[in-house]
Amino acid sequence: MLKLFVPGRLCLFGEHTDWAGHYRTMNADILPGMAIVTGIEQGIYAEVEKASNFEMHSDAAEMKDAWRDFSCRMTETDLKRVAKSGSFFCYCAGVASYMLEWYKVGGVRIRITNMTLPMKSGLSSSAAICVLVARAFNLLYNLNLNTMGEMNIAYLGEQRTSSRCGRLDQACAFGVKPNLMTFDGDEIEVQSLNVKKTLHWVFADLCTAKDTIRILSDLNKPYPFAQNEKEQNLHRALGEWNHKIIERAVKYMAEGQVEQLGQLMTETENMFEEYITPMSPALQAPKLHEVLRDPAIQPLVYGGKGVGSHGDGSVQFLARDAESQKKLVDYLNSEGMRAYQLTINPVHTVRRAIIPVAGFGTRLYPATRGLKKDFFPIPCADGMVRPVILILLEELVKSGIEEICLVLGSEEERKLYTEFFETPLSAEHLSKLNTEAQEYENRILDIGKRLRYVYQKEKRGFGHAVYQAVEFTHNEPVLLLLGDTIYRSHRNKPCALQLIEEYERYNRLMVSIHSVPLTEVSRYGILSGIWEDKENTILNVSAMNEKPKASYAEEFLGVRGNDGKKEYCSVFGQYILTPEVFQQLETDIRKADEGNDHTREIELTSALEAVRSNHGMMGVRLDGEMYDMGNPDALCRCVAAFSKPKE
């Protein structure tokens, strides 16, 4: 049995542009729709399992008055009949019918355990239930759909009902984070947004009535071709004017300009009132405007606007701070509305990195008797000869890393690093260097100021080595590099920075990946999953397999690209570990200790897989090359490559 959570969604900016952008298929002068949408903290919690029929059950107290348990035979005729009936379960049946028609699946049993999402409030409760159903089929029957695939099926399933939802409703599939959605005809693109400062949102069900079907019908009439000035203004409001609003909103969120973002909400609402509301009598919203202008609310907020299709459905505000957010929720509830808070936190940027260097370097013996493998010299294209560890540390500094923790095998080893990175050259040696090298000496000493040290005194595996730095992480995401692997980017941006930037978009455990031939999969950890983007650079990982046989990998682990061909993805050697990874490592170590199994190795791979199964994992294809220094052949290839300038 699987446990799932799907949030509701709140459209912050750009409502109605999803369906408007669809008309580009008929009128190329219409601009693509653009909207900023976020999942919210309220949603649907469920347990799902395979069954012979399609069943919906609920234990949620919030739904006891409206809910009646439902069961339907898993046939196209029965499911489509329910979808067209307009009944409480029509949306669910619509998705199930699509799944059966296109994927030939069996049934599922869905039991809703908790429902914190208000219904019919502009927060897409119907879309959330559709995504829940699509995700249940996807995971239970191993359909390998990515998030966009689940979102599209939820939309197509809801289209089989009498509903005419827009494409942005199913944005709840992407979780509780803000996304920029672009609607270009039948094409949709989704980009996660960066948030620099905490945003304290409040939204409320106005507890009145609105006619969404009438609103959508009236606003669709001027499409695809405007016939008069009023209709032209509607096209501009949902097109070029909206583009300018979205650009400003993205900028304000990324730069932490919270007050300007709130003012933009009010500005957007005023534009809506002037150019869009006159197109439909159903958009007259006296309750919404009364709440937006309430003098008791103004000191608590930076701005506010309507939600979803607008009308007297819901209202949203950007509160000034956490205290104002709470006061506003209490006030709206006291006024007969149902208010909720949504706090969008900034993604923790990655400021720390870990490099384990405790290994002996058996495959490089006997050189490692006198020189640690991370100090092996590498001739570089600029004429300097750098040790491996310095190449790694310079990449981290260029990527904005502020502190670096080296995991050593013993305290005695520390002297080697402190002498290299913290002890200035003698005046005699310094005087023999040219000006450029003397300046470079200062850079080495500056790197030394960033170094911290921990020790793996018991050799209990790679995961155990990484866990020694748990206190260093300060419960924040941390970059992990391998001490015997160096990287060369194909562009000006270092590989580590490429990975960090993708983490800031997805805020999830990340592993860098690269493609390896099928004949070599048995030498690597192989990741399988579904590409999240058209460029095949972001992999939503569904499984990790350590050194599989080629026959198994060929049948189960290939990742299909746009051309339909399979490729096999291995770890590239850079990771961004979230706090959950260290929690899992702690659990693994404690279990081994409790069982007096001190010889069992604590592996990082098993901890990553446990976190992936509970929280998800993204693989990122970096634009660069990886060089493993752990064996003589790889060392020779690396020396040959690094001595040549980049092409």
Side-chain angles (χ1 to χ4, degrees):
M1 182 176 293
L2 297 177
K3 294 184 179 181
L4 302 179
F5 168 73
V6 178
R9 74 99 182 100
L10 181 65
C11 181
L12 306 181
F13 295 92
E15 44 272 294
H16 290 297
T17 67
D18 50 343
W19 58 259
H22 177 73
Y23 281 108
R24 278 177 57 78
T25 57
M26 292 168 266
N27 180 0
D29 291 334
I30 294 174
L31 292 179
M34 297 181 74
I36 297 176
V37 189
T38 182
I40 60 178
E41 296 164 7
Q42 293 72 28
I44 305 172
Y45 298 80
E47 296 177 345
V48 301
E49 59 185 342
K50 288 183 178 180
S52 56
N53 294 326
F54 177 58
E55 301 178 20
M56 299 288 298
H57 305 271
S58 176
D59 297 328
E62 296 81 3
M63 305 183 70
K64 62 181 180 181
D65 294 333
W67 188 274
R68 299 291 182 273
D69 283 354
F70 168 80
S71 179
C72 177
R73 289 193 307 160
M74 200 66 188
T75 68
E76 287 188 35
T77 301
D78 288 355
L79 290 170
K80 287 182 177 179
R81 175 179 51 79
V82 176
K84 293 296 184 183
S85 69
S87 69
F88 188 81
F89 294 100
C90 63
Y91 299 115
C92 307
V95 177
S97 70
Y98 187 94
M99 282 293 190
L100 177 62
E101 181 177 348
W102 289 95
Y103 294 96
K104 310 304 179 186
V105 292
V108 299
R109 180 179 297 109
I110 298 175
R111 181 172 297 279
I112 296 177
T113 56
N114 195 13
M115 175 79 166
T116 58
L117 178 65
M119 303 174 68
K120 298 182 179 179
S121 301
L123 303 174
S124 292
S125 56
S126 60
I129 197 72
C130 288
V131 169
L132 176 67
V133 173
R135 186 161 293 168
F137 278 106
N138 182 30
L139 296 178
L140 290 172
Y141 288 96
N142 299 315
L143 303 181
N144 288 326
L145 296 168
N146 63 10
T147 307
M148 185 68 78
E150 292 176 343
M151 173 182 166
N152 286 335
I153 288 174
Y155 170 76
L156 293 170
E158 189 163 351
Q159 288 291 295
R160 295 189 169 192
T161 72
S162 59
S163 170
R164 288 297 175 261
C165 63
R167 296 304 305 265
L168 64 77
D169 289 352
Q170 285 76 23
C172 54
F174 290 91
V176 184
K177 60 181 180 180
N179 293 283
L180 171 62
M181 303 185 71
T182 303
F183 309 94
D184 188 354
D186 293 327
E187 297 292 320
I188 300 178
E189 292 186 3
V190 180
Q191 175 187 348
S192 294
L193 297 179
N194 289 341
V195 177
K196 187 170 185 178
K197 290 186 178 179
T198 302
L199 301 175
H200 299 283
W201 240 274
V202 171
F203 56 95
D205 182 353
L206 296 172
C207 297
T208 55
K210 70 170 184 176
D211 190 344
T212 302
I213 293 176
R214 173 72 184 278
I215 291 171
L216 292 175
S217 176
D218 290 342
L219 294 185
N220 272 267
K221 288 176 183 177
Y223 283 84
F225 299 100
Q227 303 298 321
N228 53 53
E229 186 177 0
K230 285 179 61 177
E231 294 183 353
Q232 290 171 355
N233 284 336
L234 175 64
H235 282 223
R236 293 189 187 103
L238 299 182
E240 59 183 285
W241 298 342
N242 178 66
H243 275 226
K244 293 178 181 178
I245 289 170
I246 295 296
E247 289 172 5
R248 290 167 60 191
V250 170
K251 176 177 180 290
Y252 294 155
M253 294 172 77
E255 296 179 357
Q257 300 183 55
V258 182
E259 184 173 356
Q260 292 88 334
L261 185 65
Q263 292 169 353
L264 183 62
M265 294 173 69
T266 299
E267 181 181 330
T268 303
E269 181 63 30
N270 292 338
M271 184 201 71
F272 192 99
E273 179 68 14
E274 182 173 357
Y275 297 107
I276 302 178
T277 296
M279 305 304 295
S280 174
L283 284 172
Q284 299 299 323
K287 180 67 173 179
L288 172 64
H289 297 139
E290 175 190 337
V291 174
L292 286 172
R293 295 164 186 157
D294 187 337
I297 290 176
Q298 299 310 308
L300 303 175
V301 303
Y302 287 127
K305 60 188 288 292
V307 174
S309 58
H310 271 61
D312 270 342
S314 297
V315 65
Q316 58 176 313
F317 294 99
L318 184 55
R320 293 176 179 268
D321 49 40
E323 183 180 357
S324 298
Q325 182 186 46
K326 183 179 185 306
K327 288 180 179 178
L328 181 55
V329 169
D330 292 342
Y331 175 76
L332 293 172
N333 284 332
S334 70
E335 292 293 305
M337 291 166 267
R338 291 196 294 270
Y340 306 86
Q341 66 181 38
L342 167 66
T343 302
I344 300 177
N345 293 306
V347 173
H348 283 298
T349 191
V350 180
R351 301 183 298 114
R352 297 181 176 88
I354 301 170
I355 306 178
V357 289
F360 171 61
T362 305
R363 290 178 294 175
L364 297 177
Y365 176 85
T368 47
R369 291 186 83 251
L371 184 66
K372 281 180 62 64
K373 62 180 177 179
D374 51 302
F375 275 90
F376 272 38
I378 305 296
C380 297
D382 62 1
M384 287 195 175
V385 180
R386 294 173 175 83
V388 170
I389 188 65
L390 181 57
I391 294 174
L392 283 174
L393 294 176
E394 285 190 314
E395 168 154 353
L396 294 178
V397 171
K398 291 176 184 177
S399 301
I401 295 297
E402 300 170 8
E403 292 183 274
I404 303 153
C405 182
L406 301 183
V407 183
L408 307 180
S410 66
E411 295 184 25
E412 290 74 19
E413 290 182 3
R414 178 171 177 171
K415 183 179 179 181
L416 178 63
Y417 298 89
T418 56
E419 286 184 349
F420 187 93
F421 289 104
E422 300 177 33
T423 305
L425 281 178
S426 67
E428 178 186 357
H429 286 147
L430 190 64
S431 65
K432 294 179 181 180
L433 299 178
N434 60 32
T435 302
E436 181 183 357
Q438 289 181 5
E439 292 176 354
Y440 192 82
E441 176 69 9
N442 291 328
R443 290 168 58 183
I444 293 175
L445 296 176
D446 181 67
I447 289 174
K449 297 175 184 177
R450 303 169 190 252
L451 297 182
R452 310 290 182 267
Y453 304 92
V454 297
Y455 309 99
Q456 185 193 23
K457 297 180 179 179
E458 301 176 87
K459 299 301 183 282
R460 298 179 61 183
F462 185 53
H464 183 265
V466 171
Y467 183 74
Q468 304 314 302
V470 61
E471 293 185 7
F472 166 80
T473 69
H474 292 271
N475 205 37
E476 293 181 3
V478 63
L479 178 65
L480 172 67
L481 301 187
L482 307 181
D484 56 2
T485 305
I486 56 177
Y487 311 88
R488 199 177 200 200
S489 175
H490 290 160
R491 42 193 166 114
N492 291 330
K493 190 176 294 183
C495 291
L497 182 56
Q498 295 176 39
L499 186 64
I500 289 170
E501 289 182 345
E502 292 303 332
Y503 172 79
E504 290 176 347
R505 288 190 173 91
Y506 290 91
N507 196 22
R508 197 181 297 182
L509 169 63
M510 288 226 155
V511 179
S512 61
I513 58 174
H514 66 148
S515 182
V516 297
L518 178 61
T519 54
E520 297 183 14
V521 295
S522 61
R523 296 168 48 195
Y524 300 97
I526 302 299
L527 294 81
S528 59
I530 299 295
W531 296 115
E532 284 285 317
D533 62 333
K534 295 178 182 178
E535 295 75 25
N536 292 354
T537 60
I538 308 296
L539 184 72
N540 194 332
V541 180
S542 60
M544 297 181 67
N545 295 80
E546 187 67 25
K547 299 180 180 179
K549 292 182 178 179
S551 57
Y552 180 87
E554 185 174 20
E555 184 172 0
F556 298 107
L557 302 180
V559 181
R560 293 192 182 275
N562 297 329
D563 57 3
K565 295 181 180 178
K566 290 182 181 179
E567 64 176 313
Y568 304 91
C569 297
S570 172
V571 175
F572 186 74
Q574 297 190 359
Y575 312 72
I576 292 180
L577 307 181
T578 56
E580 292 83 9
V581 175
F582 289 88
Q583 293 166 13
Q584 184 61 47
L585 287 171
E586 181 180 13
T587 299
D588 294 345
I589 293 170
R590 186 179 66 251
K591 287 182 178 179
D593 290 346
E594 290 173 350
N596 290 321
D597 190 4
H598 299 287
T599 60
R600 181 168 70 86
E601 291 201 344
I602 306 300
E603 294 298 341
L604 180 65
T605 301
S606 59
L608 295 179
E609 173 60 16
V611 174
R612 182 208 63 78
S613 64
N614 291 318
H615 303 280
M617 174 196 292
M618 308 303 290
V620 181
R621 194 200 302 269
L622 303 182
D623 188 8
E625 295 289 337
M626 175 187 76
Y627 297 93
D628 178 0
M629 307 297 303
N631 63 79
D633 290 341
L635 179 60
C636 291
R637 288 194 295 270
C638 176
V639 170
F642 263 75
S643 61
K644 298 177 182 178
K646 290 184 181 180
E647 296 182 359

